[in-house]
Amino acid sequence: MATADELRELMRTEGAAVAENTQGFNTGRYDSVADLEDYEALKRAARSIKEDAIEELPDLLDQLTETVEANGGTVYIADDAADANDYIRGVVDERAADRVVKSKSMTSEEIEVNDALEADGVDVVETDLGEWVLQVADEAPSHIVAPAIHKSRESIAELFNKQFDPDEPLETAEELTRFARKKLGEQIIDAEVGITGANFVTADTGTMALVTSEGNARKTVAATDTHVAVAGVEKVIPTVGALHPFIELIGRSGTGQDITSYVSLLTPPVDTPVVDFTDDETPLSEFESDRDFHLVLIDNGRLEMRDDEHLRETLYCIRCSACSNSCANFQSVGGHAFGGETYSGGIATGWEAGIEGLDVAEEFNDLCTGCTRCVNACPVGIDIPWINTVVRDRINRDKDAPGEWLVDGLTPDEADDGAPLQKRFFGNFETVAKLGSATAPVSNWLADTTVARQAMDRILGIDPRRDLPTFERETLVDWAAARDSKVTDPERRAVLYPDLYTNHVQVERGKAAVKVLESLGVDVVVPPAPSSGRAPLSQGMVATATDHAERVTETLEPHIEDGRDVVVIEPSDHAMFTREYERLLDESAFTDIAENSYEVFEYVFGLLDNGGSVDSLSTVTGAEIAYHSHCQQRTLGLEAHTVAVLEECGYDVVTSDVECCGMAGSFGYKSDYYELSMDVGDRLRTQLRDDGVQDRPVVASGTSCLEQIDALLERQPRHPIELLAT
């Protein structure tokens, strides 16, 4: 795992370049997909094709083998990296090749074919500009699509000037590109073997789709007489016609391009003449087109992943990098921290766990905070946070936690006993919150003493720079139980879910929610209820999260049967009810709670839209506020409800377009990640300090967002529901 010092160094040396490029790609994605009338339909079609292809993979591999062999090529299905490299080395040796040129291929990075060939004395040259830069620099890729995304133009210029000592120092992007093109062109024409990857391979015709931003892949194939294509077995799809949604989506999702510069459909061995570049007299049409083609399909753990109900979805990945570009943590540290042996970003956990093992995935898995932004960004709808959670759970189960007596009894399920102390502490914050409220205010004073903070830092890894929550002695449930309903003839009836923070820490927002709902004619009850399971789920404690989910539904089920709507203040808990519980509960239990749950402003919006009077609420005339919505509120499409209600109540609302505050629940408390959390948060701080915004009071929907903004700004934020309570 990258230490705090290593993360700090990456943010210092690579962070600016990574942030500029990934954020640019992400913005481009939003702009590009907005031009598609059928974006969601294309995503569903792509997902369906991949699901069917992975289900039918053995048959497709047989069909593809027959097709390629009928075309005059050879198919080799390699068990693992060593098997693949042995085959490729044999092809290169048989050709007596001195030089191999390669276009960009993450699968060839995975099997480390360069090292294998170079050990045989073969000169291997990367022809993708980014890959060549890294080859010259002797560095590893930091991004699935843009391997040198961490390097600035200035650093590349410095590298080239030092390495090649050109007649005139290189400086501009144009100069660097022209220089690289000339250098690489000279090496391509002297090569005997070309190695490419393949974005997709169709079983019906043996056609390869290469989706690239440069023309080097075509040159790699055309300039050599022996073509080796390296691809994972998951790249096989049934037909050429099935390429359509992927071609529409891959560029838009990865780099924000409507279509990439080059989309090459090759059915090798190609008929292009094999040119002798030393012969400048013979017409091209007179050269022979006698070519060898070898398709090397890599298993390397993929077929086992296919049989794994949780990792299987990883095989739907089309390597577009949308999950990396949309991830706030990746935007700060890049793939050299948020990545494994080969793959980077959110989906890398699935790839590395399946290919390399849990120990490799463990090195970066905790950088995924489960915010779910990547799910909407993914063109095939992979539930990447769930894959990360499952792998985290497996890592926990694979360990014997030291000092177990310190937190003994915190996990209701023995399956989670292997989780480290820090994860067990945060995963069972419900116990901490109950104790904190029961002993407040003494608990708050004691927790903030120097000795306590030092102990928490040393034992639990809680950063002393982060303010701790202040527990209230009277919980929201206690307050609600001591009062009578103010509604005698209710329009609707609701159960307000008392999430952990609303019940024990930010009690005032809970009181405000009750008052707002009652003002709109809703009879409200606030029963004692277990925490949603969000905390243990975020720590990879799936069994404990499942236990919470079952107890929550048992608590709320009688209220739902009694005709009450479930209203939820905390967006991450609402996301649990409407999304994550599908993974934890049986279908009937999940459907009941998901279909009857509403985020609080979604509910208020519905009440107003169905005849409720805004005059029942606290209103203003033109008061200026700044609003930041929660990441999971955005992915569920609920941000607009809050803005609409605030505007109807007379507020002039400026909304933040920064998608992540950086806190992410317990993530921002952890010493290893505190500085990364604040680096991510700095983007929000900058926006909230902009001209026209800096004097506005700030409201935010999420607990984590409120805590982070409180740390970032001098002005204390509030939950927007507090503005509406009379």
Side-chain angles (χ1 to χ4, degrees):
M1 183 180 76
T3 65
D5 288 342
E6 290 168 336
L7 292 174
R8 187 185 307 116
E9 181 64 10
L10 283 171
M11 287 187 285
R12 184 186 70 81
T13 58
E14 300 180 0
V18 171
E20 179 181 358
N21 286 299
T22 51
Q23 290 170 21
F25 289 158
N26 200 44
T27 300
R29 174 178 61 84
Y30 281 125
D31 293 341
S32 183
V33 301
D35 294 334
L36 288 173
E37 293 182 4
D38 54 353
Y39 177 50
E40 293 300 329
L42 283 168
K43 289 169 65 177
R44 288 192 296 271
R47 167 86 181 198
S48 177
I49 292 166
K50 288 296 289 184
E51 285 180 343
D52 291 345
I54 297 304
E55 178 64 30
E56 300 164 7
L57 187 56
D59 291 339
L60 289 177
L61 291 174
D62 289 342
Q63 182 186 1
L64 176 62
T65 299
E66 293 177 7
T67 304
V68 170
E69 290 175 351
N71 291 342
T74 303
V75 175
Y76 186 78
I77 300 178
D79 292 334
D80 53 27
D83 188 16
N85 286 332
D86 284 346
Y87 182 83
I88 295 168
R89 290 169 62 197
V91 171
V92 173
D93 181 63
E94 184 177 345
R95 178 58 183 82
D98 296 317
R99 174 174 293 156
V100 170
V101 288
K102 289 178 67 240
S103 65
K104 181 179 175 299
S105 164
M106 291 304 296
T107 310
S108 72
E109 291 277 352
E110 174 191 322
I111 65 174
E112 298 181 333
V113 69
N114 290 23
D115 293 342
L117 292 174
E118 287 168 353
D120 290 343
V122 178
D123 181 27
V124 182
V125 179
E126 297 284 356
T127 65
D128 174 85
L129 180 55
E131 290 283 5
W132 187 59
V133 167
L134 297 183
Q135 187 176 34
V136 173
D138 193 24
E139 295 180 12
S142 64
H143 190 269
I144 290 177
V145 169
I149 199 172
H150 60 285
K151 300 192 79 67
S152 65
R153 175 183 55 79
E154 292 81 7
S155 67
I156 295 172
E158 181 181 355
L159 171 70
F160 281 12
N161 288 328
K162 179 180 179 180
Q163 187 75 20
F164 300 110
D165 191 23
D167 294 336
E168 294 292 332
L170 304 171
E171 183 176 348
T172 67
E174 184 179 358
E175 290 169 348
L176 292 167
T177 304
R178 187 183 300 116
F179 176 82
R181 180 180 181 181
K182 183 175 183 297
K183 277 282 186 184
L184 291 172
E186 293 168 354
Q187 299 187 74
I188 288 173
I189 63 175
D190 287 338
E192 296 88 5
V193 176
I195 296 179
T196 70
N199 294 94
F200 309 97
V201 186
T202 68
D204 61 340
T205 62
T207 300
M208 292 169 39
L210 290 168
V211 183
T212 65
S213 295
E214 303 166 26
N216 60 302
R218 293 179 181 180
K219 290 181 179 179
T220 297
V221 173
T224 58
D225 59 25
T226 301
H227 175 198
V228 179
V230 179
V233 292
E234 82 284 356
K235 296 296 186 74
V236 181
I237 60 174
T239 65
V240 172
L243 287 169
H244 169 247
F246 300 108
I247 300 302
E248 287 278 16
L249 291 168
I250 192 167
R252 297 176 192 270
S253 301
T255 56
Q257 298 169 277
D258 291 349
I259 193 167
T260 53
S261 302
Y262 296 88
V263 177
S264 304
L265 301 184
L266 311 175
T267 306
V270 297
D271 293 331
T272 305
V274 179
V275 178
D276 180 355
F277 291 97
T278 63
D279 182 351
D280 56 5
E281 295 183 0
T282 304
L284 289 177
S285 60
E286 294 185 14
F287 284 108
E288 297 292 330
S289 58
D290 184 18
R291 295 175 172 276
D292 284 336
F293 171 63
H294 301 263
L295 175 59
V296 182
L297 295 172
I298 313 293
D299 175 3
N300 207 28
R302 287 164 172 81
L303 295 181
E304 288 188 13
M305 291 167 68
R306 177 177 174 268
D307 294 332
D308 186 315
E309 64 173 318
H310 299 301
L311 293 187
R312 181 188 181 101
E313 233 188 325
T314 306
L315 300 176
Y316 304 162
C317 172
I318 64 172
R319 311 272 178 86
C320 69
S321 79
C323 58
S324 298
N325 301 334
S326 62
C327 174
N329 284 342
F330 190 96
Q331 290 173 2
S332 283
V333 298
H336 286 157
F338 201 155
E341 294 293 325
T342 306
Y343 301 101
S344 59
I347 195 63
T349 288
W351 284 119
E352 296 290 343
I355 291 169
E356 300 290 346
L358 291 177
D359 56 333
V360 176
E362 183 181 7
E363 293 297 311
F364 61 92
N365 170 258
D366 281 346
L367 287 170
C368 172
T369 62
C371 76
T372 70
R373 288 167 63 195
C374 56
V375 178
N376 288 12
C378 177
V380 287
I382 300 172
D383 193 347
I384 295 169
W386 177 250
I387 293 171
N388 276 271
T389 299
V390 167
V391 170
R392 196 169 299 162
D393 180 71
R394 293 176 182 179
I395 292 167
N396 290 342
R397 293 168 185 262
D398 207 34
K399 294 183 178 298
D400 294 320
E404 185 174 324
W405 60 273
L406 287 169
V407 287
D408 190 41
L410 279 183
T411 48
D413 194 295
E414 290 183 3
D416 286 332
D417 282 349
L421 294 180
Q422 184 189 69
K423 283 185 166 61
R424 290 179 69 180
F425 175 83
F426 283 117
N428 291 279
F429 191 72
E430 179 177 18
T431 303
V432 178
K434 288 178 178 178
L435 181 62
S437 285
T439 58
V442 174
S443 57
N444 299 319
W445 170 82
L446 183 63
D448 211 32
T449 61
T450 301
V451 172
R453 293 311 304 260
Q454 289 175 342
M456 283 187 273
D457 184 22
R458 187 177 302 114
I459 298 170
L460 297 173
I462 298 174
D463 199 286
R465 292 167 289 185
R466 179 70 72 179
D467 289 340
L468 298 175
T470 301
F471 296 107
E472 298 289 342
R473 183 60 175 255
E474 183 184 52
T475 67
L476 178 64
V477 170
D478 293 338
W479 173 82
R483 67 190 293 273
D484 295 323
S485 174
K486 307 300 182 183
V487 181
T488 55
D489 185 20
E491 295 290 331
R492 295 187 74 90
R493 300 161 67 242
V495 50
L496 183 70
Y497 174 69
D499 66 86
L500 270 185
Y501 261 70
T502 301
N503 195 32
H504 294 279
V505 181
Q506 295 177 4
V507 178
E508 291 305 312
R509 74 181 185 187
K511 294 178 182 178
V514 172
K515 293 173 183 177
V516 166
L517 295 180
E518 287 183 340
S519 296
L520 292 169
V522 180
D523 178 60
V524 184
V525 295
V526 186
S531 67
S532 70
R534 170 63 66 187
L537 193 71
S538 71
Q539 308 304 314
M541 297 161 57
V542 175
T544 301
T546 301
D547 175 79
H548 282 244
E550 291 170 348
R551 289 189 290 121
V552 166
T553 53
E554 287 172 4
T555 300
L556 296 180
E557 184 180 14
H559 296 284
I560 294 172
E561 290 179 349
D562 192 36
R564 291 186 182 270
D565 305 313
V566 179
V567 179
V568 188
I569 296 174
E570 170 55 36
S572 63
D573 284 337
H574 180 60
M576 286 290 288
F577 292 178
T578 58
R579 190 178 52 219
E580 277 78 19
Y581 275 14
E582 186 174 14
R583 301 278 190 176
L584 307 177
L585 300 172
D586 63 60
E587 184 178 356
S588 175
F590 166 69
T591 301
D592 282 348
I593 194 167
E595 292 184 351
N596 290 283
S597 295
Y598 304 86
E599 187 266 338
V600 62
F601 268 89
E602 176 191 19
Y603 196 69
V604 171
F605 177 88
L607 293 171
L608 294 175
D609 199 43
N610 285 277
S613 174
V614 74
D615 294 333
S616 303
L617 307 177
S618 178
T619 59
V620 296
T621 304
E624 296 182 336
I625 57 171
Y627 171 59
H628 175 72
S629 68
H630 189 274
C631 52
Q632 284 161 334
Q633 193 178 19
R634 293 175 193 250
T635 58
L636 292 172
L638 299 174
E639 176 188 21
H641 297 101
T642 304
V643 175
V645 171
L646 291 173
E647 289 179 341
E648 190 169 354
C649 288
Y651 286 94
D652 177 8
V653 185
V654 169
T655 58
S656 159
D657 61 11
V658 174
E659 293 183 302
C660 183
C661 71
M663 186 66 184
S666 63
F667 184 83
Y669 281 102
K670 297 177 180 179
S671 299
D672 285 332
Y673 303 125
Y674 172 80
E675 291 182 35
L676 171 55
S677 168
M678 295 302 284
D679 184 74
V680 173
D682 193 57
R683 301 160 202 163
L684 179 58
R685 170 168 39 201
T686 298
Q687 191 166 90
L688 293 176
R689 285 179 173 175
D690 281 349
D691 291 342
V693 182
Q694 60 183 356
D695 295 326
R696 292 174 178 245
V698 179
V699 293
S701 296
T703 298
S704 295
C705 307
L706 290 163
E707 290 184 313
Q708 181 78 318
I709 294 170
D710 193 32
L712 294 170
L713 301 177
E714 295 76 19
R715 55 197 198 275
Q716 190 174 35
R718 302 170 70 192
H719 193 284
I721 200 68
E722 296 179 64
L723 302 181
L724 307 188
T726 55

